Amino acid sequence: MKRAFSLIELLVVISIIAILIGILLPMLAAARSTAITVHCSAQIRNLALGLNMHADDHRDRFPIAGGTLDFGQVDTGSPPYTATNLGPWMEQVFDYIGENQAILSGCEAYPVDTPYHYFMSSRAAFIAAGNQRAAVQRDRYQQASAAVLGGDNNIRFDNEAAGIYDADKDDYTQECLVFQGSYGSGGSAWEPQHNGALNVIFVDGHIEPVTEFDPSKMTYRYNGLAAF
């Protein structure tokens, strides 16, 4: 004669399964988040290679950022800034990325309603040029391993309601790495999307996940560890 499960035994089995699911789901979510971070870091590494290849071909100069530009648009200037007469920096680096061109569409950890998720740091050139748009010169950095070249951007640059998207994101006048700010649907920035960190490209080519801007270890300037 076969013995059936009692109601108590069935409830115990269901409870054990529920506990296991409760343990495994957060682990799976954390593993997925880590995988996205690693994938984004790999994409940014290819972007860093493209930026440095551009500098190799242009006398140590990285692409120059202009105004709010999408692919196919050219910066014609807007007071007080003179025209660069170039397309967005993403377009300038496009041919150097080769088969990895899809990285310019960004990281899947971002909200899907904005297509360009990375920025290029132009602050050093902006200050050196007297608050004018200019190309960053790689050979002028005193501490290349601490100098920010670009990486994840979490400011809401784009005007999604108006269909305006910026493929020329830069930090001429504002920090693009926002670790504290107004987050959420109505805020000025998205939260740092990689377990509280943002992937940062440094001028020497290394990539690092950063959870805060540390002025003792990072800079936007040519002349060593200086403030923004």
Side-chain angles (χ1 to χ4, degrees):
M1 181 179 176
K2 293 183 179 180
R3 181 176 178 275
F5 280 109
S6 69
L7 178 59
I8 292 176
E9 289 172 329
L10 188 59
L11 290 173
V12 169
V13 171
I14 292 172
S15 298
I16 292 172
I17 293 172
I19 291 170
L20 290 174
I21 290 173
I23 293 171
L24 290 174
L25 281 179
M27 293 175 63
L28 290 172
R32 183 177 184 277
S33 178
T34 299
I36 290 173
T37 300
V38 171
H39 181 251
C40 180
S41 180
Q43 291 195 143
I44 287 183
R45 189 172 301 280
N46 286 320
L47 180 57
L49 288 172
L51 287 168
N52 277 286
M53 289 171 67
H54 182 283
D56 291 341
D57 285 348
H58 292 83
R59 295 180 303 159
D60 261 338
R61 285 165 171 78
F62 293 111
I64 182 171
T68 300
L69 302 171
D70 206 339
F71 272 77
Q73 296 180 330
V74 173
D75 177 48
T76 56
S78 58
Y81 307 116
T82 57
T84 68
N85 297 312
L86 296 169
W89 69 261
M90 282 190 170
E91 192 167 336
Q92 295 172 53
V93 78
F94 192 78
D95 290 339
Y96 293 96
I97 298 175
E99 296 179 357
N100 299 301
Q101 291 165 351
I103 69 172
L104 297 182
S105 62
C107 172
E108 62 183 293
Y110 277 87
V112 296
D113 54 358
T114 184
Y116 311 121
H117 302 149
Y118 304 130
F119 82 100
M120 182 183 67
S121 182
S122 300
R123 180 68 177 170
F126 184 73
I127 295 299
N131 294 351
Q132 280 292 324
R133 293 167 178 162
V136 169
Q137 295 176 244
R138 182 174 56 186
D139 58 351
R140 290 192 61 179
Y141 282 100
Q142 293 181 9
Q143 290 184 262
S145 63
V148 175
L149 176 58
D152 287 332
N153 161 71
N154 59 332
I155 288 183
R156 296 176 180 272
F157 273 94
D158 300 333
N159 186 339
E160 293 128 19
I164 298 173
Y165 299 103
D166 188 8
D168 210 33
K169 294 178 171 67
D170 62 76
D171 61 353
Y172 280 133
T173 57
Q174 69 285 305
E175 294 190 62
C176 292
L177 301 171
V178 181
F179 298 106
Q180 294 181 353
S182 178
Y183 302 137
S185 59
S188 61
W190 292 286
E191 292 187 53
Q193 60 272 23
H194 297 306
N195 296 319
L198 296 167
N199 287 319
V200 177
I201 306 169
F202 292 87
V203 171
D204 68 347
H206 85 275
I207 315 296
E208 187 176 331
V210 176
T211 57
E212 63 178 352
F213 186 88
D214 184 348
S216 70
K217 298 178 181 178
M218 302 168 66
T219 183
Y220 294 102
R221 302 286 194 96
Y222 286 138
N223 55 335
L225 296 174
F228 181 78

